[in-house]
Amino acid sequence: MNFPLYIARRYVFAKKSRNAINIISLISIVGISVGTLTFIVVLSVFNGFDVVVKSLFNSFYADIEVVPAEGKTFVVSPDTLQQLTSLKGVLDVSEITEENALVVYGERQTVAAVRGVDDYYDNVTGIDTMIWDGEYKLWDHGTPRAVVGRGIKYMLNMDPNFLETIKLMVPKRTERISLDPNRSLNTRYLMPSGFFAGQPDIEIKYIIVPVEFARKLFDYAPNELSALEIKTDPSINSTRLQKNIQQLLGESLKVKNREQQNELLYKTMRSEKWAIFFILAFILLVASFNVVGTLTMLIIEKKDDIQTLRHLGANMRTIKKSFLTEGLIISFLGAFAGLAIGTVICLLQQHFGIIKLKGGESFVIDAYPVKILLRDIIMVLIAVSAIGFAASWYPIRFITRKYLSTTTPL
Protein backbone atom coordinates (compact mmCIF):
# COMPACT_ATOMS: atom_id res chain seq x y z
CA MET A 1 0.00 0.00 0.00
CA ASN A 2 1.17 3.53 -0.82
CA PHE A 3 1.11 5.03 2.68
CA PRO A 4 1.27 8.77 1.69
CA LEU A 5 -1.57 8.22 -0.84
CA TYR A 6 -3.65 6.43 1.80
CA ILE A 7 -3.20 9.27 4.30
CA ALA A 8 -3.91 11.91 1.63
CA ARG A 9 -7.13 10.14 0.56
CA ARG A 10 -8.26 9.94 4.18
CA TYR A 11 -7.68 13.65 4.67
CA VAL A 12 -9.52 14.59 1.45
CA PHE A 13 -12.50 12.24 1.56
CA ALA A 14 -12.93 11.24 5.22
CA LYS A 15 -14.92 13.33 7.70
CA LYS A 16 -12.76 15.81 9.53
CA SER A 17 -13.06 17.05 13.07
CA ARG A 18 -13.83 20.56 11.90
CA ASN A 19 -16.29 21.31 9.13
CA ALA A 20 -14.34 24.43 8.06
CA ILE A 21 -11.60 22.28 6.51
CA ASN A 22 -14.20 20.39 4.48
CA ILE A 23 -15.63 23.63 3.16
CA ILE A 24 -12.22 25.09 2.31
CA SER A 25 -11.22 21.87 0.50
CA LEU A 26 -14.44 21.99 -1.51
CA ILE A 27 -13.82 25.67 -2.36
CA SER A 28 -10.32 24.74 -3.54
CA ILE A 29 -11.70 22.02 -5.82
CA VAL A 30 -14.38 24.36 -7.19
CA GLY A 31 -11.80 27.11 -7.79
CA ILE A 32 -9.51 24.81 -9.76
CA SER A 33 -12.54 23.40 -11.59
CA VAL A 34 -13.78 26.85 -12.66
CA GLY A 35 -10.27 27.86 -13.77
CA THR A 36 -9.86 24.69 -15.83
CA LEU A 37 -13.36 25.03 -17.31
CA THR A 38 -12.56 28.61 -18.37
CA PHE A 39 -9.26 27.42 -19.82
CA ILE A 40 -10.92 24.79 -22.04
CA VAL A 41 -13.91 26.90 -23.12
CA VAL A 42 -11.91 30.03 -24.03
CA LEU A 43 -9.22 28.09 -25.92
CA SER A 44 -11.88 26.07 -27.78
CA VAL A 45 -13.78 29.22 -28.80
CA PHE A 46 -10.50 30.78 -29.96
CA ASN A 47 -9.83 27.62 -32.01
CA GLY A 48 -13.30 27.97 -33.52
CA PHE A 49 -12.71 31.56 -34.59
CA ASP A 50 -9.26 30.52 -35.85
CA VAL A 51 -10.88 27.91 -38.11
CA VAL A 52 -13.52 30.37 -39.36
CA VAL A 53 -11.00 33.12 -40.18
CA LYS A 54 -8.60 30.73 -41.90
CA SER A 55 -11.42 29.15 -43.90
CA LEU A 56 -12.39 32.58 -45.19
CA PHE A 57 -8.80 33.20 -46.32
CA ASN A 58 -8.31 29.65 -47.60
CA SER A 59 -11.37 29.91 -49.84
CA PHE A 60 -9.69 32.75 -51.70
CA TYR A 61 -6.05 31.65 -51.63
CA ALA A 62 -4.70 28.49 -53.24
CA ASP A 63 -2.67 25.75 -51.53
CA ILE A 64 0.53 27.01 -53.16
CA GLU A 65 1.28 30.33 -54.83
CA VAL A 66 4.22 31.11 -57.14
CA VAL A 67 5.28 34.76 -57.35
CA PRO A 68 8.40 36.52 -58.69
CA ALA A 69 11.28 36.96 -56.24
CA GLU A 70 11.85 40.41 -57.73
CA GLY A 71 9.57 42.65 -59.75
CA LYS A 72 5.87 42.26 -60.39
CA THR A 73 5.66 39.85 -63.31
CA PHE A 74 7.38 36.80 -64.78
CA VAL A 75 7.15 34.47 -67.75
CA VAL A 76 6.89 30.68 -67.63
CA SER A 77 7.51 28.67 -70.78
CA PRO A 78 4.85 26.19 -71.95
CA ASP A 79 7.30 23.30 -71.36
CA THR A 80 7.92 24.36 -67.76
CA LEU A 81 4.20 24.81 -67.19
CA GLN A 82 3.60 21.32 -68.57
CA GLN A 83 6.26 19.87 -66.25
CA LEU A 84 4.63 21.68 -63.33
CA THR A 85 1.18 20.26 -64.04
CA SER A 86 2.74 16.79 -64.43
CA LEU A 87 4.31 16.80 -60.94
CA LYS A 88 2.89 14.20 -58.59
CA GLY A 89 0.60 15.96 -56.16
CA VAL A 90 -0.27 18.90 -58.43
CA LEU A 91 -3.97 18.76 -59.32
CA ASP A 92 -4.55 22.10 -61.07
CA VAL A 93 -2.62 25.24 -61.98
CA SER A 94 -4.18 28.65 -62.58
CA GLU A 95 -2.52 31.65 -64.28
CA ILE A 96 -2.99 35.00 -62.53
CA THR A 97 -2.38 38.60 -63.55
CA GLU A 98 -2.99 41.34 -61.00
CA GLU A 99 -2.64 45.11 -60.84
CA ASN A 100 -4.31 48.00 -59.06
CA ALA A 101 -6.82 49.96 -61.09
CA LEU A 102 -9.18 52.88 -60.67
CA VAL A 103 -12.73 51.54 -60.55
CA VAL A 104 -15.53 53.90 -61.57
CA TYR A 105 -19.20 53.05 -61.16
CA GLY A 106 -21.69 55.81 -61.77
CA GLU A 107 -20.48 58.86 -59.89
CA ARG A 108 -18.39 56.91 -57.38
CA GLN A 109 -14.88 55.58 -57.67
CA THR A 110 -12.25 53.66 -55.71
CA VAL A 111 -8.95 51.85 -56.20
CA ALA A 112 -9.09 48.04 -56.27
CA ALA A 113 -6.87 45.12 -57.16
CA VAL A 114 -8.06 43.71 -60.47
CA ARG A 115 -7.18 40.02 -60.57
CA GLY A 116 -7.22 38.34 -63.96
CA VAL A 117 -7.83 34.59 -63.69
CA ASP A 118 -8.22 31.69 -66.09
CA ASP A 119 -10.84 28.93 -66.26
CA TYR A 120 -9.02 26.82 -63.63
CA TYR A 121 -9.22 29.47 -60.90
CA ASP A 122 -12.37 28.09 -59.29
CA ASN A 123 -10.67 24.66 -59.18
CA VAL A 124 -7.59 25.83 -57.28
CA THR A 125 -9.54 28.11 -54.90
CA GLY A 126 -13.01 28.10 -53.36
CA ILE A 127 -14.09 31.35 -55.01
CA ASP A 128 -17.29 29.79 -56.35
CA THR A 129 -18.33 28.93 -52.77
CA MET A 130 -17.93 32.58 -51.73
CA ILE A 131 -20.59 33.97 -54.08
CA TRP A 132 -22.97 36.15 -52.10
CA ASP A 133 -25.17 37.48 -54.91
CA GLY A 134 -25.36 36.67 -58.60
CA GLU A 135 -23.07 33.92 -59.90
CA TYR A 136 -19.44 33.15 -60.58
CA LYS A 137 -19.27 33.76 -64.34
CA LEU A 138 -16.26 35.24 -66.14
CA TRP A 139 -17.70 35.01 -69.65
CA ASP A 140 -21.21 35.46 -71.01
CA HIS A 141 -21.49 34.52 -74.68
CA GLY A 142 -17.94 35.68 -75.34
CA THR A 143 -18.29 38.91 -73.33
CA PRO A 144 -16.08 39.31 -70.24
CA ARG A 145 -17.74 39.68 -66.84
CA ALA A 146 -16.47 40.73 -63.40
CA VAL A 147 -16.98 39.13 -59.99
CA VAL A 148 -16.77 41.94 -57.43
CA GLY A 149 -16.02 41.88 -53.72
CA ARG A 150 -18.98 42.74 -51.52
CA GLY A 151 -17.04 45.52 -49.83
CA ILE A 152 -16.42 47.22 -53.18
CA LYS A 153 -20.11 46.82 -54.02
CA TYR A 154 -21.10 48.70 -50.88
CA MET A 155 -18.43 51.34 -51.42
CA LEU A 156 -19.57 52.08 -54.98
CA ASN A 157 -23.26 51.42 -54.29
CA MET A 158 -23.45 48.95 -57.16
CA ASP A 159 -26.89 47.96 -58.41
CA PRO A 160 -27.67 44.33 -57.51
CA ASN A 161 -29.50 44.00 -60.83
CA PHE A 162 -26.26 44.71 -62.76
CA LEU A 163 -27.76 47.56 -64.76
CA GLU A 164 -24.60 49.64 -65.20
CA THR A 165 -21.10 48.89 -66.45
CA ILE A 166 -17.90 49.02 -64.42
CA LYS A 167 -15.19 51.30 -65.76
CA LEU A 168 -11.57 50.22 -65.11
CA MET A 169 -8.66 52.60 -65.71
CA VAL A 170 -4.90 51.92 -65.38
CA PRO A 171 -1.82 53.81 -66.62
CA LYS A 172 -0.39 52.56 -69.89
CA ARG A 173 2.93 50.76 -69.55
CA THR A 174 4.34 51.92 -72.87
CA GLU A 175 3.21 55.57 -72.93
CA ARG A 176 4.88 58.56 -71.32
CA ILE A 177 2.96 60.63 -68.80
CA SER A 178 0.58 62.95 -70.59
CA LEU A 179 -1.92 65.60 -69.57
CA ASP A 180 -4.40 63.90 -71.88
CA PRO A 181 -6.02 60.98 -69.93
CA ASN A 182 -7.01 59.26 -73.15
CA ARG A 183 -3.35 58.90 -74.11
CA SER A 184 -1.93 57.91 -70.70
CA LEU A 185 -4.65 55.55 -69.47
CA ASN A 186 -6.03 52.22 -70.59
CA THR A 187 -9.78 52.13 -70.10
CA ARG A 188 -12.00 49.07 -70.30
CA TYR A 189 -15.67 48.42 -69.52
CA LEU A 190 -17.46 45.30 -68.35
CA MET A 191 -20.57 44.23 -66.49
CA PRO A 192 -20.57 42.48 -63.09
CA SER A 193 -21.93 38.94 -62.92
CA GLY A 194 -21.87 38.50 -59.15
CA PHE A 195 -20.50 39.54 -55.79
CA PHE A 196 -18.39 37.43 -53.45
CA ALA A 197 -18.19 37.66 -49.66
CA GLY A 198 -15.35 36.65 -47.38
CA GLN A 199 -12.78 38.20 -45.10
CA PRO A 200 -13.36 41.99 -45.11
CA ASP A 201 -9.75 42.61 -46.17
CA ILE A 202 -10.40 40.51 -49.28
CA GLU A 203 -13.90 41.55 -50.29
CA ILE A 204 -13.05 45.25 -50.12
CA LYS A 205 -9.93 44.81 -52.25
CA TYR A 206 -10.51 42.51 -55.23
CA ILE A 207 -12.36 42.45 -58.53
CA ILE A 208 -11.99 39.21 -60.50
CA VAL A 209 -11.97 39.33 -64.31
CA PRO A 210 -10.87 36.99 -67.14
CA VAL A 211 -7.09 36.81 -67.53
CA GLU A 212 -7.33 37.73 -71.24
CA PHE A 213 -9.26 40.89 -70.37
CA ALA A 214 -6.73 41.76 -67.65
CA ARG A 215 -3.74 41.32 -69.98
CA LYS A 216 -5.21 43.81 -72.42
CA LEU A 217 -6.04 46.22 -69.61
CA PHE A 218 -2.52 46.02 -68.12
CA ASP A 219 -0.63 45.82 -71.45
CA TYR A 220 0.75 42.40 -70.52
CA ALA A 221 2.27 39.97 -73.00
CA PRO A 222 0.23 36.80 -73.75
CA ASN A 223 2.39 34.66 -71.43
CA GLU A 224 3.18 37.31 -68.79
CA LEU A 225 1.98 36.47 -65.28
CA SER A 226 1.78 37.96 -61.80
CA ALA A 227 1.38 34.58 -60.10
CA LEU A 228 0.63 30.91 -60.50
CA GLU A 229 -1.82 29.36 -58.06
CA ILE A 230 -1.68 25.62 -57.51
CA LYS A 231 -4.10 23.12 -55.99
CA THR A 232 -2.35 20.16 -54.41
CA ASP A 233 -3.34 16.63 -53.46
CA PRO A 234 -3.92 16.64 -49.65
CA SER A 235 -2.57 13.07 -49.41
CA ILE A 236 0.86 14.20 -50.69
CA ASN A 237 3.51 15.62 -48.37
CA SER A 238 3.01 19.36 -48.94
CA THR A 239 6.49 20.38 -47.75
CA ARG A 240 8.21 18.00 -50.13
CA LEU A 241 5.96 19.05 -53.01
CA GLN A 242 6.73 22.70 -52.32
CA LYS A 243 10.46 21.93 -52.51
CA ASN A 244 9.99 20.03 -55.78
CA ILE A 245 8.12 22.96 -57.33
CA GLN A 246 10.84 25.36 -56.15
CA GLN A 247 13.55 23.19 -57.74
CA LEU A 248 11.60 23.05 -61.02
CA LEU A 249 10.96 26.79 -61.27
CA GLY A 250 14.30 28.04 -59.93
CA GLU A 251 15.33 30.73 -57.47
CA SER A 252 13.91 33.58 -59.54
CA LEU A 253 10.46 32.61 -58.27
CA LYS A 254 9.12 32.19 -54.74
CA VAL A 255 6.93 29.21 -53.90
CA LYS A 256 4.65 29.93 -50.93
CA ASN A 257 2.30 27.68 -49.00
CA ARG A 258 -0.89 28.96 -47.33
CA GLU A 259 0.86 30.05 -44.17
CA GLN A 260 3.55 31.94 -46.08
CA GLN A 261 0.92 33.69 -48.21
CA ASN A 262 -0.71 35.04 -45.03
CA GLU A 263 2.30 35.04 -42.74
CA LEU A 264 1.15 37.98 -40.62
CA LEU A 265 -2.27 36.39 -40.02
CA TYR A 266 -0.83 33.07 -38.85
CA LYS A 267 1.81 34.70 -36.64
CA THR A 268 -0.76 37.02 -35.09
CA MET A 269 -3.17 34.21 -34.30
CA ARG A 270 -0.42 32.08 -32.76
CA SER A 271 0.72 35.01 -30.62
CA GLU A 272 -2.84 35.74 -29.52
CA LYS A 273 -3.39 32.13 -28.49
CA TRP A 274 -0.19 32.07 -26.42
CA ALA A 275 -1.20 35.37 -24.80
CA ILE A 276 -4.62 33.93 -23.93
CA PHE A 277 -2.98 30.77 -22.58
CA PHE A 278 -0.70 32.68 -20.20
CA ILE A 279 -3.51 34.98 -19.04
CA LEU A 280 -5.69 31.97 -18.23
CA ALA A 281 -2.74 30.23 -16.55
CA PHE A 282 -2.35 33.29 -14.32
CA ILE A 283 -6.06 33.13 -13.43
CA LEU A 284 -5.63 29.46 -12.58
CA LEU A 285 -2.61 30.34 -10.46
CA VAL A 286 -4.72 32.79 -8.47
CA ALA A 287 -7.40 30.12 -8.03
CA SER A 288 -4.76 27.71 -6.74
CA PHE A 289 -4.10 29.99 -3.74
CA ASN A 290 -7.08 28.20 -2.22
CA VAL A 291 -4.99 25.04 -2.23
CA VAL A 292 -2.26 26.86 -0.32
CA GLY A 293 -4.80 27.95 2.28
CA THR A 294 -6.36 24.50 2.49
CA LEU A 295 -3.06 22.72 3.07
CA THR A 296 -1.88 25.37 5.52
CA MET A 297 -5.00 25.02 7.67
CA LEU A 298 -4.93 21.23 7.38
CA ILE A 299 -1.31 21.07 8.55
CA ILE A 300 -2.18 23.33 11.50
CA GLU A 301 -5.21 21.17 12.35
CA LYS A 302 -3.30 17.91 11.98
CA LYS A 303 -0.25 18.87 14.04
CA ASP A 304 -1.22 16.22 16.60
CA ASP A 305 -1.59 13.65 13.81
CA ILE A 306 1.87 14.58 12.57
CA GLN A 307 3.31 13.77 15.99
CA THR A 308 1.37 10.48 16.12
CA LEU A 309 2.60 9.47 12.66
CA ARG A 310 6.16 10.20 13.69
CA HIS A 311 5.79 8.01 16.77
CA LEU A 312 4.46 5.26 14.53
CA GLY A 313 7.64 5.42 12.44
CA ALA A 314 6.79 7.84 9.65
CA ASN A 315 9.73 10.03 8.72
CA MET A 316 9.65 13.67 7.66
CA ARG A 317 9.72 12.81 3.96
CA THR A 318 6.69 10.50 4.23
CA ILE A 319 4.64 13.09 6.11
CA LYS A 320 5.48 15.82 3.63
CA LYS A 321 4.67 13.49 0.73
CA SER A 322 1.25 12.80 2.29
CA PHE A 323 0.30 16.49 2.36
CA LEU A 324 1.79 17.03 -1.12
CA THR A 325 -0.29 14.14 -2.44
CA GLU A 326 -3.42 15.67 -0.90
CA GLY A 327 -2.72 18.96 -2.67
CA LEU A 328 -2.30 17.14 -5.97
CA ILE A 329 -5.53 15.19 -5.41
CA ILE A 330 -7.41 18.47 -4.84
CA SER A 331 -5.83 19.96 -7.98
CA PHE A 332 -6.60 16.95 -10.16
CA LEU A 333 -10.16 16.59 -8.86
CA GLY A 334 -10.79 20.21 -9.80
CA ALA A 335 -8.96 19.83 -13.12
CA PHE A 336 -10.87 16.75 -14.27
CA ALA A 337 -14.19 18.16 -13.09
CA GLY A 338 -13.55 21.41 -14.95
CA LEU A 339 -12.30 19.52 -17.98
CA ALA A 340 -15.42 17.33 -18.08
CA ILE A 341 -17.86 20.23 -17.63
CA GLY A 342 -15.95 22.44 -20.10
CA THR A 343 -15.91 19.66 -22.72
CA VAL A 344 -19.67 19.14 -22.35
CA ILE A 345 -20.32 22.88 -22.70
CA CYS A 346 -18.12 23.03 -25.82
CA LEU A 347 -19.80 20.02 -27.41
CA LEU A 348 -23.26 21.47 -26.75
CA GLN A 349 -22.21 24.79 -28.30
CA GLN A 350 -20.54 23.02 -31.23
CA HIS A 351 -23.61 20.95 -32.12
CA PHE A 352 -26.49 23.23 -31.11
CA GLY A 353 -25.04 26.78 -31.20
CA ILE A 354 -26.71 27.70 -27.91
CA ILE A 355 -24.86 31.01 -27.38
CA LYS A 356 -25.47 33.30 -30.36
CA LEU A 357 -23.24 36.05 -31.70
CA LYS A 358 -24.58 39.55 -31.30
CA GLY A 359 -25.32 40.77 -34.82
CA GLY A 360 -24.52 37.29 -36.14
CA GLU A 361 -27.06 37.66 -38.97
CA SER A 362 -24.58 39.96 -40.73
CA PHE A 363 -21.64 37.58 -40.22
CA VAL A 364 -20.80 34.24 -41.85
CA ILE A 365 -21.79 32.45 -38.62
CA ASP A 366 -24.56 33.18 -36.12
CA ALA A 367 -23.20 31.40 -33.02
CA TYR A 368 -19.83 31.27 -31.26
CA PRO A 369 -17.70 28.66 -33.07
CA VAL A 370 -16.01 25.96 -30.99
CA LYS A 371 -13.31 23.42 -31.73
CA ILE A 372 -11.79 21.18 -29.06
CA LEU A 373 -8.19 20.15 -29.70
CA LEU A 374 -6.44 17.29 -27.92
CA ARG A 375 -3.22 19.30 -27.63
CA ASP A 376 -5.11 22.03 -25.75
CA ILE A 377 -6.42 19.47 -23.26
CA ILE A 378 -2.88 18.14 -22.76
CA MET A 379 -1.49 21.67 -22.33
CA VAL A 380 -4.19 22.49 -19.77
CA LEU A 381 -3.50 19.31 -17.78
CA ILE A 382 0.24 20.07 -17.80
CA ALA A 383 -0.42 23.65 -16.64
CA VAL A 384 -2.78 22.48 -13.89
CA SER A 385 -0.28 19.84 -12.77
CA ALA A 386 2.58 22.35 -12.59
CA ILE A 387 0.49 24.99 -10.79
CA GLY A 388 -1.03 22.38 -8.45
CA PHE A 389 2.39 21.02 -7.55
CA ALA A 390 3.76 24.52 -6.88
CA ALA A 391 0.70 25.44 -4.80
CA SER A 392 1.05 22.24 -2.75
CA TRP A 393 4.81 22.39 -2.36
CA TYR A 394 4.92 25.91 -0.93
CA PRO A 395 2.98 25.38 2.32
CA ILE A 396 4.49 21.94 2.84
CA ARG A 397 8.02 23.27 2.38
CA PHE A 398 7.65 26.10 4.89
CA ILE A 399 4.73 25.26 7.19
CA THR A 400 5.49 21.63 8.02
CA ARG A 401 9.03 22.59 9.02
CA LYS A 402 7.61 24.46 11.98
CA TYR A 403 5.40 21.67 13.24
CA LEU A 404 7.79 18.84 12.45
CA SER A 405 10.49 20.64 14.39
CA THR A 406 8.23 21.10 17.41
CA THR A 407 7.10 17.49 17.64
CA THR A 408 8.67 15.15 20.12
CA PRO A 409 11.70 13.43 18.61
CA LEU A 410 11.71 9.68 18.22
Side-chain angles (χ1 to χ4, degrees):
M1 177 186 295
N2 189 326
F3 182 71
L5 178 60
Y6 173 76
I7 296 297
R9 287 173 56 190
R10 292 283 298 174
Y11 283 164
V12 174
F13 299 109
K15 292 183 178 180
K16 301 177 177 64
S17 59
R18 298 176 186 176
N19 191 47
I21 302 298
N22 284 343
I23 296 174
I24 294 175
S25 297
L26 181 60
I27 291 174
S28 299
I29 294 173
V30 172
I32 298 294
S33 177
V34 172
T36 306
L37 183 153
T38 305
F39 229 132
I40 290 297
V41 171
V42 173
L43 288 180
S44 298
V45 172
F46 183 87
N47 293 334
F49 277 111
D50 181 74
V51 171
V52 171
V53 171
K54 287 181 180 178
S55 67
L56 293 176
F57 275 93
N58 292 346
S59 295
F60 190 80
Y61 294 100
D63 297 327
I64 290 179
E65 181 185 49
V66 179
V67 294
E70 295 181 359
K72 297 171 63 176
T73 64
F74 63 98
V75 175
V76 176
S77 67
D79 291 340
T80 303
L81 197 58
Q82 180 61 40
Q83 293 177 35
L84 177 60
T85 55
S86 301
L87 281 177
K88 184 179 180 180
V90 174
L91 300 181
D92 274 306
V93 179
S94 177
E95 299 181 3
I96 308 295
T97 59
E98 184 177 316
E99 286 278 4
N100 289 333
L102 179 66
V103 184
V104 181
Y105 188 85
E107 297 181 355
R108 299 192 178 190
Q109 61 186 29
T110 187
V111 175
V114 178
R115 171 170 284 202
V117 303
D118 61 13
D119 296 335
Y120 298 99
Y121 186 67
D122 56 334
N123 294 335
V124 302
T125 66
I127 186 64
D128 53 334
T129 65
M130 300 170 65
I131 297 302
W132 172 72
D133 189 16
E135 58 184 325
Y136 179 75
K137 181 189 290 186
L138 297 178
W139 295 95
D140 185 14
H141 299 92
T143 302
R145 291 286 186 262
V147 181
V148 183
R150 182 174 59 177
I152 296 176
K153 173 204 177 301
Y154 288 143
M155 187 178 297
L156 299 181
N157 194 24
M158 288 188 174
D159 193 318
N161 296 315
F162 315 119
L163 298 178
E164 195 168 345
T165 59
I166 300 172
K167 182 180 180 181
L168 299 177
M169 305 172 66
V170 298
K172 292 183 179 180
R173 299 177 74 187
T174 56
E175 292 288 339
R176 295 181 179 180
I177 297 176
S178 172
L179 295 177
D180 183 3
N182 295 324
R183 295 187 57 184
S184 61
L185 295 175
N186 275 339
T187 304
R188 294 287 186 275
Y189 298 86
L190 77 172
M191 294 285 292
S193 63
F195 304 104
F196 69 88
Q199 189 69 11
D201 293 344
I202 294 175
E203 66 178 38
I204 203 171
K205 178 180 179 181
Y206 286 101
I207 294 177
I208 300 172
V209 301
V211 67
E212 296 85 356
F213 175 89
R215 283 187 173 124
K216 292 179 181 178
L217 177 66
F218 304 144
D219 287 332
Y220 279 12
N223 58 347
E224 192 172 4
L225 304 172
S226 300
L228 286 173
E229 299 208 345
I230 303 170
K231 183 176 180 59
T232 62
D233 186 344
S235 64
I236 299 296
N237 185 295
S238 58
T239 303
R240 184 179 302 172
L241 178 59
Q242 184 180 358
K243 290 181 179 178
N244 291 339
I245 295 174
Q246 186 69 73
Q247 290 176 356
L248 173 64
L249 299 179
E251 297 300 322
S252 62
L253 299 175
K254 290 183 179 179
V255 180
K256 299 181 178 181
N257 56 28
R258 285 192 188 276
E259 183 171 346
Q260 291 166 339
Q261 292 175 58
N262 298 285
E263 194 170 1
L264 180 60
L265 170 70
Y266 281 81
K267 284 184 177 179
T268 301
M269 301 200 75
R270 279 197 296 268
S271 300
E272 287 177 347
K273 185 168 184 179
W274 278 112
I276 290 172
F277 181 87
F278 286 117
I279 291 171
L280 294 174
F282 179 77
I283 294 173
L284 191 61
L285 178 63
V286 173
S288 70
F289 288 164
N290 289 319
V291 179
V292 176
T294 299
L295 291 179
T296 301
M297 294 191 67
L298 184 65
I299 292 170
I300 294 172
E301 183 196 11
K302 298 299 182 181
K303 60 182 178 180
D304 293 335
D305 290 1
I306 293 174
Q307 184 175 356
T308 301
L309 290 172
R310 294 203 67 189
H311 285 143
L312 291 173
N315 57 28
M316 184 184 297
R317 181 178 180 183
T318 300
I319 295 172
K320 287 185 175 182
K321 191 174 181 181
S322 299
F323 288 109
L324 178 62
T325 304
E326 179 179 2
L328 292 177
I329 289 175
I330 292 174
S331 297
F332 281 114
L333 281 176
F336 284 109
L339 185 62
I341 298 172
T343 301
V344 170
I345 292 174
C346 290
L347 290 175
L348 289 174
Q349 178 67 18
Q350 184 175 334
H351 288 91
F352 301 105
I354 298 172
I355 304 177
K356 302 295 183 181
L357 277 167
K358 186 177 181 180
E361 63 276 359
S362 62
F363 195 48
V364 292
I365 53 175
D366 60 356
Y368 281 93
V370 171
K371 183 178 182 181
I372 303 173
L373 296 179
L374 178 61
R375 68 170 179 266
D376 287 342
I377 294 176
I378 295 173
M379 288 170 61
V380 169
L381 290 177
I382 292 174
V384 172
S385 300
I387 293 172
F389 179 83
S392 304
W393 175 84
Y394 177 81
I396 294 167
R397 174 69 176 82
F398 295 100
I399 304 299
T400 55
R401 180 186 301 172
K402 174 182 178 181
Y403 293 102
L404 287 174
S405 63
T406 58
T407 54
T408 305
L410 295 176

